Amino acid sequence: MAAMDANSSYDRMKELKEFDQSKMGVKGLSDSGITSIPRFFVHPPETLSDFKNSSSTCTNIPIIDLSGIINSKDNDHRLKIVEQVKEAAKTWGFFQVINHGVPISVIDETIHAIKAFHDQPHEVKAKYYKRENELGGVMYTSNNDLYRAKSAAWHDSLQAWMGPEPLKVADLPEICRNEVVAWDKSATEVAETVMELLCEGLGLEAGKFKELTFLDVRVLVGHCYPYCPQPDLTVGITSHTDPGVITVLLQNHVPGLQVKHGDEWVNVKPVPGGLIINAGDFLQIISNGEYKSVQHRVLANSSKEARISIVIFFNLAKWKGDGYHGPLPELLSLEKPAIYRNFTKQEFFENFYSKGIDTKSLIEKIKIKN
Ligand code: OGA
Ligand code: NI
């Protein structure tokens, strides 16, 4: 591969631009029947060899049953669930919730609507295709970080900012409009319940995260991972950590998501009706390292059927004072001093938008070194 990259006749930027300007996305490439993928999707051998190192054991991320939590006053039961959530967030950074109160029909309709958006003809989707305007509105694109990442990944996404300003609903593509609005509402309810449990796990008031506006900035992304003809040469999504507070992820039955646990990559098996929750870098920092933001990635899809996932990234709307955050003072003591320094809103955003998605770069930057 290195030799290929050294070949000066290959103009990577030109190819990236042509792909971007075609607005066809990887779904378009896949549907065109290509049998080999463009070179800018090919990942370096060190990434690809790590992909071969997937776990073959049957482990899955923890599954937490929320029945009895919603609208229940059974305190002993709640304490048990708080313990499970805390343990999962500390050791895995990822867990799957079931019996969360969202009807299966809402889940199915959401997946169906996002799939229907991606299945539309090129001309219809192309109207929404753009790359600028990353902080608001609706956009459809292939690889958010196409020009920033070292290699492209085999997915397209429809992205909508659901908060803090209410989205102009008419801006959403009609084919998934009602479903996206309904999903934001349902997923936010689940996120609120989970944030309460996470707060209690830290010994904080249940409503603390909501009060800190952690439910208010919401970016919904409907990913499509179409069939890839050379799944061994590229990835669905590069290994990364999510930058925000928490992420709620809904996936269809086509597998591909993997989570790093110790030295192993664990397959996240789709559980019907299950919702995946993971902690982001921001939560790791403000919990002073108690909850872990963990690397995850998606394999390029080798199945003819597209993998669909709908994620909502939850972020805070209001920063402290003139725009900073850091480990919550309530969690600090002489025995537990801050392991991270405060960071500014500007540092948070600059870090994210200066490069492709990556792993814990903000966390590394603000770690207090002894
Ligand atoms: C993400 C992500 C995983 C998936 O969008 O940050 O990790 O399964 N997505 O789509
Ligand atoms: Ni992610």
Side-chain angles (χ1 to χ4, degrees):
M1 224 63 68
M4 261 169 39
D5 285 337
N7 178 350
S8 60
S9 69
Y10 178 61
D11 187 343
R12 181 172 185 273
M13 189 47 86
K14 179 165 169 281
E15 293 224 348
L16 280 180
K17 280 192 180 143
E18 276 172 12
F19 168 69
D20 198 21
Q21 283 160 8
S22 79
K23 305 185 178 184
M24 75 192 310
V26 291
K27 178 78 165 61
L29 287 177
S30 178
D31 289 349
S32 75
I34 55 160
T35 52
S36 64
I37 61 176
R39 198 202 283 190
F40 58 85
F41 285 101
V42 177
H43 280 245
E46 53 284 10
T47 311
L48 297 172
S49 61
D50 189 43
F51 265 83
K52 299 218 168 62
N53 157 38
S54 299
S55 104
S56 52
T57 51
C58 281
T59 45
N60 198 357
I61 59 173
I63 295 179
I64 300 177
D65 186 342
L66 294 184
S67 49
I69 284 294
I70 296 140
N71 308 323
S72 162
K73 294 267 173 285
D74 180 348
N75 218 28
D76 284 350
H77 181 61
R78 187 173 179 94
L79 286 178
K80 266 190 219 136
I81 305 298
V82 167
E83 238 358 88
Q84 286 177 20
V85 166
K86 178 179 174 176
E87 195 51 32
K90 277 174 78 156
T91 56
W92 283 84
F94 259 85
F95 51 96
Q96 198 151 187
V97 292
I98 54 169
N99 297 320
H100 38 59
V102 184
I104 193 80
S105 57
V106 173
I107 287 183
D108 289 346
E109 282 159 20
T110 307
I111 293 172
H112 188 261
I114 295 298
K115 180 169 189 306
F117 171 81
H118 288 285
D119 279 345
Q120 291 176 113
H122 172 74
E123 318 76 75
V124 182
K125 282 190 292 180
K127 282 193 296 217
Y128 295 96
Y129 193 96
K130 54 182 153 169
R131 191 160 292 287
E132 70 287 2
N133 188 22
E134 286 193 358
L135 285 174
V138 176
M139 80 175 190
Y140 156 62
T141 203
S142 185
N143 286 255
N144 228 325
D145 57 355
L146 185 70
Y147 294 107
R148 303 192 296 263
K150 292 200 178 84
S151 310
W154 203 254
H155 71 267
D156 301 329
S157 324
L158 174 68
Q159 172 179 307
W161 282 75
M162 307 307 294
E165 306 306 328
L167 179 82
K168 284 202 217 86
V169 173
D171 288 350
L172 284 166
E174 200 179 346
I175 195 160
C176 57
R177 188 176 292 157
N178 296 338
E179 292 81 358
V180 162
V181 171
W183 182 245
D184 173 51
K185 187 166 175 293
S186 292
T188 303
E189 283 168 11
V190 175
E192 183 172 349
T193 303
V194 169
M195 282 195 199
E196 286 175 358
L197 298 167
L198 287 167
C199 278
E200 289 173 50
L202 292 170
L204 301 168
E205 289 289 321
K208 183 72 186 171
F209 285 179
K210 185 177 186 178
E211 192 186 301
L212 289 169
T213 72
F214 290 178
L215 286 158
D216 292 358
V217 173
R218 300 185 306 283
V219 186
L220 182 149
V221 186
H223 293 297
C224 172
Y225 301 86
Y227 166 69
C228 178
Q230 291 181 302
D232 295 339
L233 294 185
T234 188
V235 306
I237 277 194
T238 316
S239 162
H240 67 282
T241 55
D242 293 348
V245 182
I246 64 166
T247 306
V248 174
L249 185 149
L250 167 62
Q251 57 177 348
N252 74 347
H253 57 278
V254 180
L257 178 61
Q258 296 189 323
V259 170
K260 188 106 191 226
H261 187 59
D263 292 332
E264 259 196 328
W265 284 100
V266 174
N267 294 314
V268 178
K269 279 192 226 100
V271 169
L275 290 178
I276 295 155
I277 313 281
N278 67 286
D281 295 350
F282 188 91
L283 181 57
Q284 177 167 336
I285 297 166
I286 63 125
S287 70
N288 203 32
E290 192 79 358
Y291 295 151
K292 306 293 184 308
S293 169
V294 165
Q295 280 185 68
H296 51 286
R297 65 186 188 187
V298 177
L299 306 177
N301 182 11
S302 59
S303 134
K304 290 280 177 188
E305 206 178 340
R307 174 168 189 273
I308 299 291
S309 68
I310 299 101
V311 297
I312 301 191
F313 299 106
F314 288 83
N315 268 303
L316 72 165
K318 257 179 130 170
W319 291 66
K320 291 184 181 174
D322 51 3
Y324 73 94
H325 238 294
L328 294 175
E330 298 89 321
L331 304 179
L332 305 179
S333 62
L334 277 178
E335 296 77 45
K336 286 191 177 172
I339 58 171
Y340 307 113
R341 67 165 170 81
N342 285 339
F343 58 100
T344 64
K345 182 177 177 180
Q346 193 182 351
E347 277 178 301
F348 181 76
F349 282 103
E350 270 175 14
N351 192 66
F352 182 65
Y353 285 111
S354 61
K355 51 193 160 10
I357 52 172
D358 72 355
T359 297
K360 297 194 177 192
S361 54
L362 181 68
I363 295 182
E364 290 307 322
K365 196 158 124 192
I366 67 166
K367 197 176 264 169
I368 295 173
K369 299 189 177 74
N370 296 315

